[in-house]
PDB file of all heavy atoms in Angstrom:
ATOM      1  N   THR A  11     -14.317   8.969  12.279  1.00  0.00           N
ATOM      2  CA  THR A  11     -15.227   9.557  11.289  1.00  0.00           C
ATOM      3  C   THR A  11     -16.353  10.338  11.956  1.00  0.00           C
ATOM      4  O   THR A  11     -17.476  10.389  11.453  1.00  0.00           O
ATOM      5  CB  THR A  11     -15.796   8.475  10.358  1.00  0.00           C
ATOM      6  OG1 THR A  11     -16.319   7.391  11.147  1.00  0.00           O
ATOM      7  CG2 THR A  11     -14.746   7.949   9.408  1.00  0.00           C
ATOM      8  N   GLY A  12     -16.037  10.949  13.106  1.00  0.00           N
ATOM      9  CA  GLY A  12     -16.951  11.905  13.704  1.00  0.00           C
ATOM     10  C   GLY A  12     -16.688  13.283  13.107  1.00  0.00           C
ATOM     11  O   GLY A  12     -15.960  13.416  12.111  1.00  0.00           O
ATOM     12  N   PRO A  13     -17.247  14.348  13.675  1.00  0.00           N
ATOM     13  CA  PRO A  13     -17.055  15.695  13.140  1.00  0.00           C
ATOM     14  C   PRO A  13     -15.593  16.099  13.015  1.00  0.00           C
ATOM     15  O   PRO A  13     -15.210  16.746  12.022  1.00  0.00           O
ATOM     16  CB  PRO A  13     -17.786  16.581  14.150  1.00  0.00           C
ATOM     17  CG  PRO A  13     -18.831  15.684  14.741  1.00  0.00           C
ATOM     18  CD  PRO A  13     -18.197  14.332  14.795  1.00  0.00           C
ATOM     19  N   ALA A  14     -14.759  15.723  13.973  1.00  0.00           N
ATOM     20  CA  ALA A  14     -13.342  16.086  13.915  1.00  0.00           C
ATOM     21  C   ALA A  14     -12.631  15.378  12.773  1.00  0.00           C
ATOM     22  O   ALA A  14     -11.884  15.992  12.002  1.00  0.00           O
ATOM     23  CB  ALA A  14     -12.652  15.765  15.244  1.00  0.00           C
ATOM     24  N   GLY A  15     -12.860  14.084  12.643  1.00  0.00           N
ATOM     25  CA  GLY A  15     -12.202  13.320  11.588  1.00  0.00           C
ATOM     26  C   GLY A  15     -12.666  13.720  10.204  1.00  0.00           C
ATOM     27  O   GLY A  15     -11.861  13.850   9.271  1.00  0.00           O
ATOM     28  N   VAL A  16     -13.980  13.946  10.049  1.00  0.00           N
ATOM     29  CA  VAL A  16     -14.516  14.358   8.748  1.00  0.00           C
ATOM     30  C   VAL A  16     -13.979  15.730   8.366  1.00  0.00           C
ATOM     31  O   VAL A  16     -13.550  15.960   7.232  1.00  0.00           O
ATOM     32  CB  VAL A  16     -16.058  14.359   8.785  1.00  0.00           C
ATOM     33  CG1 VAL A  16     -16.622  15.014   7.528  1.00  0.00           C
ATOM     34  CG2 VAL A  16     -16.580  12.937   8.922  1.00  0.00           C
ATOM     35  N   SER A  17     -13.988  16.664   9.323  1.00  0.00           N
ATOM     36  CA  SER A  17     -13.465  18.009   9.057  1.00  0.00           C
ATOM     37  C   SER A  17     -11.993  17.960   8.668  1.00  0.00           C
ATOM     38  O   SER A  17     -11.558  18.633   7.727  1.00  0.00           O
ATOM     39  CB  SER A  17     -13.660  18.889  10.297  1.00  0.00           C
ATOM     40  OG  SER A  17     -13.077  20.158  10.122  1.00  0.00           O
ATOM     41  N   LEU A  20     -11.640  16.609   5.045  1.00  0.00           N
ATOM     42  CA  LEU A  20     -12.008  17.597   4.029  1.00  0.00           C
ATOM     43  C   LEU A  20     -10.921  18.663   3.878  1.00  0.00           C
ATOM     44  O   LEU A  20     -10.559  19.043   2.750  1.00  0.00           O
ATOM     45  CB  LEU A  20     -13.345  18.251   4.400  1.00  0.00           C
ATOM     46  CG  LEU A  20     -14.568  17.317   4.423  1.00  0.00           C
ATOM     47  CD1 LEU A  20     -15.771  18.039   5.013  1.00  0.00           C
ATOM     48  CD2 LEU A  20     -14.888  16.800   3.027  1.00  0.00           C
ATOM     49  N   LEU A  31      -8.530   7.774   5.619  1.00  0.00           N
ATOM     50  CA  LEU A  31      -9.541   8.039   6.641  1.00  0.00           C
ATOM     51  C   LEU A  31     -10.067   6.701   7.142  1.00  0.00           C
ATOM     52  O   LEU A  31     -10.687   5.943   6.391  1.00  0.00           O
ATOM     53  CB  LEU A  31     -10.673   8.889   6.062  1.00  0.00           C
ATOM     54  CG  LEU A  31     -11.854   9.203   6.992  1.00  0.00           C
ATOM     55  CD1 LEU A  31     -11.394   9.942   8.234  1.00  0.00           C
ATOM     56  CD2 LEU A  31     -12.929   9.996   6.241  1.00  0.00           C
ATOM     57  N   ARG A  35     -18.231   3.636   8.199  1.00  0.00           N
ATOM     58  CA  ARG A  35     -18.990   4.291   7.133  1.00  0.00           C
ATOM     59  C   ARG A  35     -20.352   4.771   7.646  1.00  0.00           C
ATOM     60  O   ARG A  35     -20.998   5.590   7.004  1.00  0.00           O
ATOM     61  CB  ARG A  35     -19.177   3.332   5.946  1.00  0.00           C
ATOM     62  CG  ARG A  35     -17.883   3.026   5.214  1.00  0.00           C
ATOM     63  CD  ARG A  35     -18.143   2.320   3.884  1.00  0.00           C
ATOM     64  NE  ARG A  35     -16.898   1.958   3.232  1.00  0.00           N
ATOM     65  CZ  ARG A  35     -16.334   0.760   3.303  1.00  0.00           C
ATOM     66  NH1 ARG A  35     -16.917  -0.196   4.009  1.00  0.00           N
ATOM     67  NH2 ARG A  35     -15.200   0.498   2.685  1.00  0.00           N
ATOM     68  N   ASP A  36     -20.772   4.254   8.778  1.00  0.00           N
ATOM     69  CA  ASP A  36     -21.990   4.742   9.420  1.00  0.00           C
ATOM     70  C   ASP A  36     -21.724   6.016  10.206  1.00  0.00           C
ATOM     71  O   ASP A  36     -22.628   6.551  10.838  1.00  0.00           O
ATOM     72  CB  ASP A  36     -22.571   3.679  10.356  1.00  0.00           C
ATOM     73  CG  ASP A  36     -23.051   2.455   9.594  1.00  0.00           C
ATOM     74  OD1 ASP A  36     -23.467   2.611   8.428  1.00  0.00           O
ATOM     75  OD2 ASP A  36     -22.992   1.346  10.161  1.00  0.00           O
ATOM     76  N   MET A  37     -20.486   6.471  10.204  1.00  0.00           N
ATOM     77  CA  MET A  37     -20.026   7.665  10.908  1.00  0.00           C
ATOM     78  C   MET A  37     -20.023   7.421  12.425  1.00  0.00           C
ATOM     79  O   MET A  37     -20.200   6.308  12.889  1.00  0.00           O
ATOM     80  CB  MET A  37     -20.850   8.895  10.544  1.00  0.00           C
ATOM     81  CG  MET A  37     -21.157   9.017   9.050  1.00  0.00           C
ATOM     82  SD  MET A  37     -19.725   8.819   7.937  1.00  0.00           S
ATOM     83  CE  MET A  37     -18.837  10.338   8.236  1.00  0.00           C
ATOM     84  N   SER A  38     -19.833   8.480  13.190  1.00  0.00           N
ATOM     85  CA  SER A  38     -19.730   8.362  14.642  1.00  0.00           C
ATOM     86  C   SER A  38     -21.033   7.872  15.257  1.00  0.00           C
ATOM     87  O   SER A  38     -22.110   8.400  14.969  1.00  0.00           O
ATOM     88  CB  SER A  38     -19.358   9.725  15.234  1.00  0.00           C
ATOM     89  OG  SER A  38     -19.649   9.781  16.611  1.00  0.00           O
ATOM     90  N   VAL A  41     -22.789  10.664  17.070  1.00  0.00           N
ATOM     91  CA  VAL A  41     -23.543  11.557  16.196  1.00  0.00           C
ATOM     92  C   VAL A  41     -24.863  10.914  15.786  1.00  0.00           C
ATOM     93  O   VAL A  41     -25.935  11.530  15.867  1.00  0.00           O
ATOM     94  CB  VAL A  41     -22.721  11.924  14.940  1.00  0.00           C
ATOM     95  CG1 VAL A  41     -23.592  12.650  13.919  1.00  0.00           C
ATOM     96  CG2 VAL A  41     -21.533  12.798  15.317  1.00  0.00           C
ATOM     97  N   ILE A  47     -29.443  18.431  17.159  1.00  0.00           N
ATOM     98  CA  ILE A  47     -28.276  19.298  17.360  1.00  0.00           C
ATOM     99  C   ILE A  47     -28.660  20.698  16.899  1.00  0.00           C
ATOM    100  O   ILE A  47     -29.080  20.884  15.750  1.00  0.00           O
ATOM    101  CB  ILE A  47     -27.064  18.768  16.559  1.00  0.00           C
ATOM    102  CG1 ILE A  47     -26.750  17.328  16.996  1.00  0.00           C
ATOM    103  CG2 ILE A  47     -25.845  19.666  16.756  1.00  0.00           C
ATOM    104  CD1 ILE A  47     -26.164  16.473  15.914  1.00  0.00           C
ATOM    105  N   TYR A  50     -24.978  23.731  15.281  1.00  0.00           N
ATOM    106  CA  TYR A  50     -24.020  23.464  14.214  1.00  0.00           C
ATOM    107  C   TYR A  50     -24.352  24.372  13.027  1.00  0.00           C
ATOM    108  O   TYR A  50     -25.443  24.267  12.452  1.00  0.00           O
ATOM    109  CB  TYR A  50     -24.073  21.995  13.781  1.00  0.00           C
ATOM    110  CG  TYR A  50     -22.810  21.523  13.094  1.00  0.00           C
ATOM    111  CD1 TYR A  50     -21.793  20.918  13.822  1.00  0.00           C
ATOM    112  CD2 TYR A  50     -22.634  21.691  11.724  1.00  0.00           C
ATOM    113  CE1 TYR A  50     -20.631  20.480  13.201  1.00  0.00           C
ATOM    114  CE2 TYR A  50     -21.472  21.271  11.102  1.00  0.00           C
ATOM    115  CZ  TYR A  50     -20.471  20.664  11.845  1.00  0.00           C
ATOM    116  OH  TYR A  50     -19.322  20.244  11.232  1.00  0.00           O
ATOM    117  N   LEU A  53     -26.702  23.760   9.699  1.00  0.00           N
ATOM    118  CA  LEU A  53     -27.570  22.599   9.889  1.00  0.00           C
ATOM    119  C   LEU A  53     -28.447  22.833  11.121  1.00  0.00           C
ATOM    120  O   LEU A  53     -28.246  22.205  12.166  1.00  0.00           O
ATOM    121  CB  LEU A  53     -26.740  21.323  10.049  1.00  0.00           C
ATOM    122  CG  LEU A  53     -25.896  20.882   8.851  1.00  0.00           C
ATOM    123  CD1 LEU A  53     -25.016  19.698   9.227  1.00  0.00           C
ATOM    124  CD2 LEU A  53     -26.791  20.520   7.664  1.00  0.00           C
ATOM    125  N   GLY A  58     -29.235  13.628  14.443  1.00  0.00           N
ATOM    126  CA  GLY A  58     -27.937  12.990  14.305  1.00  0.00           C
ATOM    127  C   GLY A  58     -27.804  12.177  13.033  1.00  0.00           C
ATOM    128  O   GLY A  58     -26.777  12.217  12.356  1.00  0.00           O
ATOM    129  N   THR A  59     -28.868  11.465  12.676  1.00  0.00           N
ATOM    130  CA  THR A  59     -28.821  10.657  11.451  1.00  0.00           C
ATOM    131  C   THR A  59     -28.671  11.538  10.216  1.00  0.00           C
ATOM    132  O   THR A  59     -27.995  11.171   9.258  1.00  0.00           O
ATOM    133  CB  THR A  59     -30.094   9.800  11.323  1.00  0.00           C
ATOM    134  OG1 THR A  59     -31.251  10.643  11.470  1.00  0.00           O
ATOM    135  CG2 THR A  59     -30.125   8.714  12.383  1.00  0.00           C
ATOM    136  N   GLU A  60     -29.312  12.719  10.256  1.00  0.00           N
ATOM    137  CA  GLU A  60     -29.215  13.648   9.129  1.00  0.00           C
ATOM    138  C   GLU A  60     -27.820  14.243   9.034  1.00  0.00           C
ATOM    139  O   GLU A  60     -27.282  14.423   7.935  1.00  0.00           O
ATOM    140  CB  GLU A  60     -30.258  14.759   9.290  1.00  0.00           C
ATOM    141  CG  GLU A  60     -31.692  14.258   9.210  1.00  0.00           C
ATOM    142  CD  GLU A  60     -32.713  15.308   9.618  1.00  0.00           C
ATOM    143  OE1 GLU A  60     -32.304  16.318  10.250  1.00  0.00           O
ATOM    144  OE2 GLU A  60     -33.903  15.123   9.315  1.00  0.00           O
ATOM    145  N   MET A  61     -27.224  14.557  10.182  1.00  0.00           N
ATOM    146  CA  MET A  61     -25.865  15.089  10.179  1.00  0.00           C
ATOM    147  C   MET A  61     -24.887  14.045   9.644  1.00  0.00           C
ATOM    148  O   MET A  61     -24.015  14.354   8.827  1.00  0.00           O
ATOM    149  CB  MET A  61     -25.442  15.521  11.587  1.00  0.00           C
ATOM    150  CG  MET A  61     -23.996  15.994  11.678  1.00  0.00           C
ATOM    151  SD  MET A  61     -23.512  16.588  13.310  1.00  0.00           S
ATOM    152  CE  MET A  61     -24.111  18.277  13.211  1.00  0.00           C
ATOM    153  N   ALA A  62     -25.038  12.802  10.076  1.00  0.00           N
ATOM    154  CA  ALA A  62     -24.162  11.733   9.596  1.00  0.00           C
ATOM    155  C   ALA A  62     -24.279  11.574   8.088  1.00  0.00           C
ATOM    156  O   ALA A  62     -23.280  11.401   7.380  1.00  0.00           O
ATOM    157  CB  ALA A  62     -24.493  10.422  10.307  1.00  0.00           C
ATOM    158  N   ALA A  63     -25.510  11.658   7.577  1.00  0.00           N
ATOM    159  CA  ALA A  63     -25.723  11.543   6.135  1.00  0.00           C
ATOM    160  C   ALA A  63     -25.080  12.704   5.396  1.00  0.00           C
ATOM    161  O   ALA A  63     -24.491  12.531   4.318  1.00  0.00           O
ATOM    162  CB  ALA A  63     -27.218  11.481   5.835  1.00  0.00           C
ATOM    163  N   ALA A  64     -25.168  13.913   5.969  1.00  0.00           N
ATOM    164  CA  ALA A  64     -24.552  15.089   5.341  1.00  0.00           C
ATOM    165  C   ALA A  64     -23.034  14.936   5.300  1.00  0.00           C
ATOM    166  O   ALA A  64     -22.387  15.262   4.291  1.00  0.00           O
ATOM    167  CB  ALA A  64     -24.938  16.351   6.110  1.00  0.00           C
ATOM    168  N   PHE A  65     -22.448  14.439   6.384  1.00  0.00           N
ATOM    169  CA  PHE A  65     -21.004  14.190   6.405  1.00  0.00           C
ATOM    170  C   PHE A  65     -20.615  13.197   5.315  1.00  0.00           C
ATOM    171  O   PHE A  65     -19.662  13.402   4.564  1.00  0.00           O
ATOM    172  CB  PHE A  65     -20.584  13.627   7.766  1.00  0.00           C
ATOM    173  CG  PHE A  65     -20.580  14.622   8.893  1.00  0.00           C
ATOM    174  CD1 PHE A  65     -20.473  14.189  10.211  1.00  0.00           C
ATOM    175  CD2 PHE A  65     -20.682  15.978   8.658  1.00  0.00           C
ATOM    176  CE1 PHE A  65     -20.458  15.084  11.253  1.00  0.00           C
ATOM    177  CE2 PHE A  65     -20.673  16.889   9.700  1.00  0.00           C
ATOM    178  CZ  PHE A  65     -20.567  16.439  11.011  1.00  0.00           C
ATOM    179  N   ARG A  66     -21.354  12.094   5.243  1.00  0.00           N
ATOM    180  CA  ARG A  66     -21.050  11.028   4.287  1.00  0.00           C
ATOM    181  C   ARG A  66     -21.168  11.537   2.851  1.00  0.00           C
ATOM    182  O   ARG A  66     -20.314  11.253   2.002  1.00  0.00           O
ATOM    183  CB  ARG A  66     -21.989   9.849   4.540  1.00  0.00           C
ATOM    184  CG  ARG A  66     -21.649   8.583   3.781  1.00  0.00           C
ATOM    185  CD  ARG A  66     -22.324   7.367   4.380  1.00  0.00           C
ATOM    186  NE  ARG A  66     -23.716   7.618   4.687  1.00  0.00           N
ATOM    187  CZ  ARG A  66     -24.226   7.631   5.928  1.00  0.00           C
ATOM    188  NH1 ARG A  66     -23.445   7.405   6.962  1.00  0.00           N
ATOM    189  NH2 ARG A  66     -25.508   7.863   6.130  1.00  0.00           N
ATOM    190  N   ASN A  67     -22.203  12.315   2.601  1.00  0.00           N
ATOM    191  CA  ASN A  67     -22.405  12.853   1.251  1.00  0.00           C
ATOM    192  C   ASN A  67     -21.283  13.800   0.851  1.00  0.00           C
ATOM    193  O   ASN A  67     -20.833  13.794  -0.303  1.00  0.00           O
ATOM    194  CB  ASN A  67     -23.752  13.570   1.164  1.00  0.00           C
ATOM    195  CG  ASN A  67     -24.933  12.621   1.267  1.00  0.00           C
ATOM    196  OD1 ASN A  67     -24.791  11.425   1.024  1.00  0.00           O
ATOM    197  ND2 ASN A  67     -26.089  13.146   1.629  1.00  0.00           N
ATOM    198  N   GLN A  68     -20.810  14.618   1.791  1.00  0.00           N
ATOM    199  CA  GLN A  68     -19.743  15.561   1.460  1.00  0.00           C
ATOM    200  C   GLN A  68     -18.428  14.830   1.210  1.00  0.00           C
ATOM    201  O   GLN A  68     -17.669  15.196   0.307  1.00  0.00           O
ATOM    202  CB  GLN A  68     -19.576  16.601   2.569  1.00  0.00           C
ATOM    203  CG  GLN A  68     -18.654  17.760   2.164  1.00  0.00           C
ATOM    204  CD  GLN A  68     -18.713  18.927   3.119  1.00  0.00           C
ATOM    205  OE1 GLN A  68     -19.429  18.900   4.117  1.00  0.00           O
ATOM    206  NE2 GLN A  68     -17.949  19.972   2.827  1.00  0.00           N
ATOM    207  N   LEU A  69     -18.160  13.810   1.987  1.00  0.00           N
ATOM    208  CA  LEU A  69     -16.950  13.013   1.753  1.00  0.00           C
ATOM    209  C   LEU A  69     -17.005  12.369   0.364  1.00  0.00           C
ATOM    210  O   LEU A  69     -16.006  12.376  -0.370  1.00  0.00           O
ATOM    211  CB  LEU A  69     -16.810  11.933   2.831  1.00  0.00           C
ATOM    212  CG  LEU A  69     -16.440  12.404   4.239  1.00  0.00           C
ATOM    213  CD1 LEU A  69     -16.543  11.245   5.225  1.00  0.00           C
ATOM    214  CD2 LEU A  69     -15.031  12.985   4.275  1.00  0.00           C
ATOM    215  N   GLU A  70     -18.164  11.815   0.013  1.00  0.00           N
ATOM    216  CA  GLU A  70     -18.312  11.170  -1.297  1.00  0.00           C
ATOM    217  C   GLU A  70     -18.146  12.182  -2.423  1.00  0.00           C
ATOM    218  O   GLU A  70     -17.520  11.886  -3.446  1.00  0.00           O
ATOM    219  CB  GLU A  70     -19.675  10.485  -1.384  1.00  0.00           C
ATOM    220  CG  GLU A  70     -19.793   9.257  -0.490  1.00  0.00           C
ATOM    221  CD  GLU A  70     -21.185   8.659  -0.487  1.00  0.00           C
ATOM    222  OE1 GLU A  70     -22.079   9.240  -1.149  1.00  0.00           O
ATOM    223  OE2 GLU A  70     -21.390   7.622   0.185  1.00  0.00           O
ATOM    224  N   ALA A  71     -18.688  13.379  -2.225  1.00  0.00           N
ATOM    225  CA  ALA A  71     -18.568  14.420  -3.247  1.00  0.00           C
ATOM    226  C   ALA A  71     -17.113  14.848  -3.441  1.00  0.00           C
ATOM    227  O   ALA A  71     -16.721  15.239  -4.549  1.00  0.00           O
ATOM    228  CB  ALA A  71     -19.419  15.632  -2.848  1.00  0.00           C
ATOM    229  N   MET A  72     -16.322  14.750  -2.386  1.00  0.00           N
ATOM    230  CA  MET A  72     -14.899  15.107  -2.458  1.00  0.00           C
ATOM    231  C   MET A  72     -14.032  13.926  -2.898  1.00  0.00           C
ATOM    232  O   MET A  72     -12.813  14.052  -3.011  1.00  0.00           O
ATOM    233  CB  MET A  72     -14.423  15.603  -1.092  1.00  0.00           C
ATOM    234  CG  MET A  72     -15.001  16.948  -0.682  1.00  0.00           C
ATOM    235  SD  MET A  72     -14.109  18.312  -1.440  1.00  0.00           S
ATOM    236  CE  MET A  72     -12.539  18.215  -0.567  1.00  0.00           C
ATOM    237  N   ILE A  74     -13.500  11.221  -1.136  1.00  0.00           N
ATOM    238  CA  ILE A  74     -12.768  10.702   0.030  1.00  0.00           C
ATOM    239  C   ILE A  74     -13.416   9.393   0.472  1.00  0.00           C
ATOM    240  O   ILE A  74     -14.598   9.360   0.829  1.00  0.00           O
ATOM    241  CB  ILE A  74     -12.774  11.715   1.184  1.00  0.00           C
ATOM    242  CG1 ILE A  74     -12.071  13.006   0.756  1.00  0.00           C
ATOM    243  CG2 ILE A  74     -12.090  11.120   2.422  1.00  0.00           C
ATOM    244  CD1 ILE A  74     -12.212  14.138   1.756  1.00  0.00           C
ATOM    245  N   ILE A  76     -13.797   6.073   2.934  1.00  0.00           N
ATOM    246  CA  ILE A  76     -13.600   5.646   4.324  1.00  0.00           C
ATOM    247  C   ILE A  76     -13.114   4.203   4.334  1.00  0.00           C
ATOM    248  O   ILE A  76     -13.735   3.331   3.715  1.00  0.00           O
ATOM    249  CB  ILE A  76     -14.907   5.755   5.129  1.00  0.00           C
ATOM    250  CG1 ILE A  76     -15.362   7.215   5.216  1.00  0.00           C
ATOM    251  CG2 ILE A  76     -14.716   5.185   6.539  1.00  0.00           C
ATOM    252  CD1 ILE A  76     -16.736   7.382   5.841  1.00  0.00           C
ATOM    253  N   TYR A 263     -20.053  19.062  18.957  1.00  0.00           N
ATOM    254  CA  TYR A 263     -19.753  18.730  17.563  1.00  0.00           C
ATOM    255  C   TYR A 263     -19.073  19.890  16.852  1.00  0.00           C
ATOM    256  O   TYR A 263     -18.147  19.701  16.063  1.00  0.00           O
ATOM    257  CB  TYR A 263     -21.035  18.343  16.824  1.00  0.00           C
ATOM    258  CG  TYR A 263     -21.765  17.179  17.447  1.00  0.00           C
ATOM    259  CD1 TYR A 263     -23.091  17.300  17.850  1.00  0.00           C
ATOM    260  CD2 TYR A 263     -21.138  15.959  17.653  1.00  0.00           C
ATOM    261  CE1 TYR A 263     -23.767  16.238  18.431  1.00  0.00           C
ATOM    262  CE2 TYR A 263     -21.800  14.897  18.239  1.00  0.00           C
ATOM    263  CZ  TYR A 263     -23.113  15.044  18.625  1.00  0.00           C
ATOM    264  OH  TYR A 263     -23.778  13.992  19.212  1.00  0.00           O
ATOM    265  N   VAL A 264     -19.528  21.095  17.114  1.00  0.00           N
ATOM    266  CA  VAL A 264     -18.967  22.256  16.430  1.00  0.00           C
ATOM    267  C   VAL A 264     -17.525  22.496  16.858  1.00  0.00           C
ATOM    268  O   VAL A 264     -16.676  22.864  16.047  1.00  0.00           O
ATOM    269  CB  VAL A 264     -19.860  23.505  16.669  1.00  0.00           C
ATOM    270  CG1 VAL A 264     -19.863  23.917  18.132  1.00  0.00           C
ATOM    271  CG2 VAL A 264     -19.427  24.651  15.773  1.00  0.00           C
ATOM    272  N   ALA A 267     -15.366  19.823  15.051  1.00  0.00           N
ATOM    273  CA  ALA A 267     -15.135  20.124  13.637  1.00  0.00           C
ATOM    274  C   ALA A 267     -14.069  21.201  13.480  1.00  0.00           C
ATOM    275  O   ALA A 267     -13.208  21.117  12.598  1.00  0.00           O
ATOM    276  CB  ALA A 267     -16.440  20.574  12.985  1.00  0.00           C
TER     277      ALA A 267
END
Side-chain angles (χ1 to χ4, degrees):
T11 50
V16 170
S17 175
L20 296 171
L31 177 59
R35 292 192 184 97
D36 294 330
M37 317 311 288
S38 162
V41 170
I47 302 149
Y50 202 93
L53 296 173
T59 52
E60 295 170 344
M61 176 177 276
F65 287 167
R66 190 162 45 246
N67 292 339
Q68 190 168 1
L69 289 172
E70 290 175 357
M72 291 279 290
I74 298 171
I76 296 173
Y263 302 123
V264 65

